[in-house]
Amino acid sequence: IEIAAPLHSNSSLDGHARPTPSLPAARGASSAGGSCRMVSFSSINRLLVPVFVGYIVYEVYGLYLFCQPPLAEKGGVRWDLIESGPLDLVLYFALTQKPPPEQFVKDRHLDEGQIFVDKTKPREYVYHRIGIFESVVPRSGEAPRHDIRLEELKLPESFYHNGTVYLHVVASPVGPGATPVRHQATRISRHQVQPDRKLDRFWLLGAPPPGDKGPTDDERVQAVIGAAPITSIPRIVEVGFVTDERPIHGPGLREKGLDHFLRKREVGGQTLALPLFVNTLVSPRDEYAPLFDGIALPSLELRLRNVGLAYWIMQQQMGMAFDDAEKLYGMNEYDSDSFKQMISGSTPLKIVLVYSVTVLHLIFEYLALSSDVSFWRRKTSFEGLSSTSVMLQACMNIIMFLYVKEQRQTKFIMYFIGGGLLLSFRII
């Protein structure tokens, strides 16, 4: 009886043996496939970086075109204060957005700190004069007196009830009894928890060391307040004029949604009544001074600055974009304030420099993470690597991730730390 033997993979149908590939050749084929995968991965990296930079340049250029005021070749409307003489900029604190009474504004011979109270209305109608920039030329922003420093700003009692404080800026011609030509009311306060009130502090040994004088009056009041948000104001505020001396195309302003700045002239035609510039984002939110009875009086610095119309339009557009990102996408308010501070200054040089560094930081972070991924994809053996160092690196990534998450200040860097953390777990 003949028993047929099964055919092996190295046997042909006629029974002759086939040559079997050696093990090194098989390994070479496998490594060749891996190198092909690595080439494709590195090619994607080379493609993604230029595409990302090109997209950023395209978006910046589109924003630049949108922010440019529409210029008129012939005629057009002009800024109504372009030929104006010197103006006085008077600043008030109030608990309402309504402008201060005209009789109070016209009398500018009163000292700073003068208070006007409308007794026929609720306590919110209290206007506290905090400063005045005299003889300001709108076109240049020049004035005999520039920055104003207010030490220990004392406000009326009604401002310490945890309400909303507004800054009123009124521009009037120089001289008593002149009618105001501009008024701008801006919310200046935020309900804030200062960093030193977020966490309770206590002595590790249970009692203060010998010679300690005990808590100060401010510390006692803050202990009573606890971590409750209270009305706080910035320490620096910038005010001035939004300027543009070029002829503007009226229909083009309507397309940009700025037609509400157009005013009809008595002699016919239109004029451009640009708003006053008020910037309350110079001071970070965590540096705001609290308004609470019993705490040390806050200090306030007032600066005189002018901005161009194009830069002001950009500030408004990007400010609204960050507000939408904060509401729709859950963007951290700390990140939102940081971006707004970059665009809120009176010069575009700072924003160009900061955003350029930010884009480069993103690119380098991505390249570093992709380099780590490529390294571990090529690695077929842990020979020569210390398992202890790999574990320590994973522990460091965990600590950094938890620290950034606990601070609740920025989510941007968390993505890169999280990517490194996932890579560490994959290695382990």
Side-chain angles (χ1 to χ4, degrees):
I1 300 174
E2 295 182 357
I3 301 176
L7 293 176
H8 296 282
S9 57
N10 59 343
S11 301
S12 60
L13 293 177
D14 55 1
H16 297 287
R18 286 182 178 178
T20 303
S22 61
L23 185 58
R27 288 182 178 177
S30 176
S31 61
S35 62
C36 292
R37 288 194 296 269
M38 290 311 303
V39 169
S40 63
F41 187 75
S42 60
S43 301
I44 292 176
N45 285 341
R46 296 193 190 99
L47 180 63
L48 284 179
V49 173
V51 169
F52 175 74
V53 175
Y55 175 75
I56 294 295
V57 173
Y58 172 77
E59 289 292 334
V60 171
Y61 182 69
L63 179 63
Y64 169 79
L65 293 180
F66 179 82
C67 295
Q68 294 302 311
L71 302 181
E73 297 180 358
K74 295 182 180 179
V77 295
R78 288 186 174 272
W79 182 33
D80 59 347
L81 299 180
I82 189 173
E83 301 295 340
S84 173
L87 301 177
D88 288 343
L89 285 178
V90 191
L91 288 77
Y92 305 88
F93 272 175
L95 300 175
T96 178
Q97 287 183 290
K98 294 186 177 181
E102 188 172 338
Q103 66 270 22
F104 182 49
V105 175
K106 289 182 177 180
D107 189 3
R108 291 191 294 280
H109 290 289
L110 301 176
D111 297 332
E112 295 176 1
Q114 180 67 30
I115 302 172
F116 176 84
V117 181
D118 192 345
K119 297 181 179 180
T120 63
K121 296 181 179 180
R123 66 177 178 86
E124 286 78 9
Y125 288 82
V126 178
Y127 298 88
H128 179 82
R129 179 179 297 172
I130 61 174
I132 177 173
F133 292 101
E134 297 179 342
S135 303
V136 181
V137 181
R139 293 179 60 180
S140 61
E142 296 179 354
R145 180 184 181 184
H146 289 281
D147 298 346
I148 300 175
R149 179 74 179 180
L150 303 176
E151 300 289 349
E152 296 185 353
L153 179 62
K154 188 175 182 180
L155 298 174
E157 184 269 339
S158 58
F159 285 83
Y160 297 94
H161 292 173
N162 214 25
T164 301
V165 181
Y166 294 90
L167 173 66
H168 293 260
V169 184
V170 181
S172 303
V174 177
T179 302
V181 296
R182 284 289 188 281
H183 168 259
Q184 187 80 17
T186 305
R187 178 183 174 182
I188 193 176
S189 66
R190 296 174 182 263
H191 287 82
Q192 186 70 16
V193 180
Q194 280 66 33
D196 55 351
R197 295 194 295 114
K198 290 182 178 180
L199 298 175
D200 293 333
R201 293 177 294 179
F202 57 90
W203 297 104
L204 294 178
L205 299 180
D212 184 75
K213 299 180 180 180
T216 62
D217 294 339
D218 288 356
E219 291 175 345
R220 292 191 185 95
V221 174
Q222 292 182 4
V224 174
I225 301 173
I230 60 176
T231 301
S232 307
I233 60 175
R235 300 182 184 275
I236 303 175
V237 177
E238 294 180 345
V239 298
F241 294 93
V242 179
T243 66
D244 202 310
E245 302 180 15
R246 300 169 294 179
I248 306 298
H249 189 239
L253 285 178
R254 294 187 181 92
E255 294 178 1
K256 296 179 181 294
L258 302 175
D259 54 322
H260 56 281
F261 294 130
L262 297 175
R263 300 287 187 273
K264 292 184 178 180
R265 295 164 47 179
E266 297 180 358
V267 295
Q270 290 180 319
T271 186
L272 184 62
L274 295 177
L276 296 175
F277 171 66
V278 180
N279 178 22
T280 62
L281 294 172
V282 181
S283 298
R285 187 180 300 193
D286 53 358
E287 294 183 3
Y288 276 36
L291 292 181
F292 195 83
D293 193 13
I295 298 180
L297 298 176
S299 61
L300 181 64
E301 183 178 351
L302 305 175
R303 299 176 180 176
L304 184 62
R305 302 289 187 271
N306 277 7
V307 296
L309 178 58
Y311 191 60
W312 181 82
I313 294 176
M314 186 202 68
Q315 290 178 349
Q316 302 301 311
Q317 291 296 323
M318 297 191 69
M320 291 187 293
F322 290 134
D323 290 338
D324 293 339
E326 188 174 344
K327 296 177 182 177
L328 299 178
Y329 306 111
M331 184 177 181
N332 192 305
E333 62 181 15
Y334 183 89
D335 294 338
S336 179
D337 280 358
S338 299
F339 283 112
K340 289 179 181 179
Q341 286 174 10
M342 289 190 295
I343 65 174
S344 62
S346 55
T347 173
L349 298 179
K350 181 175 67 173
I351 182 175
V352 172
L353 177 61
V354 173
Y355 270 95
S356 300
V357 174
T358 302
V359 172
L360 290 177
H361 184 265
L362 288 177
I363 294 175
F364 291 147
E365 284 283 352
Y366 171 77
L367 292 177
L369 185 60
S370 62
S371 177
D372 289 341
V373 174
S374 301
F375 173 78
W376 291 112
R377 289 184 63 181
R378 288 195 305 265
K379 201 70 175 174
T380 58
S381 172
F382 282 92
E383 183 179 356
L385 290 178
S386 171
S387 59
T388 305
S389 62
V390 175
M391 289 294 297
L392 287 177
Q393 183 63 39
C395 293
M396 290 173 60
N397 288 333
I398 294 175
I399 293 173
M400 289 189 295
F401 183 83
L402 294 178
Y403 174 77
V404 175
K405 187 170 181 59
E406 183 186 14
Q407 292 298 311
R408 298 181 180 180
Q409 291 184 347
T410 176
K411 294 181 179 178
F412 214 65
I413 196 64
M414 285 179 59
Y415 302 138
F416 294 103
I417 299 178
L421 182 61
L422 294 177
L423 183 62
S424 301
F425 281 119
R426 177 68 181 273
I427 297 171
I428 297 174

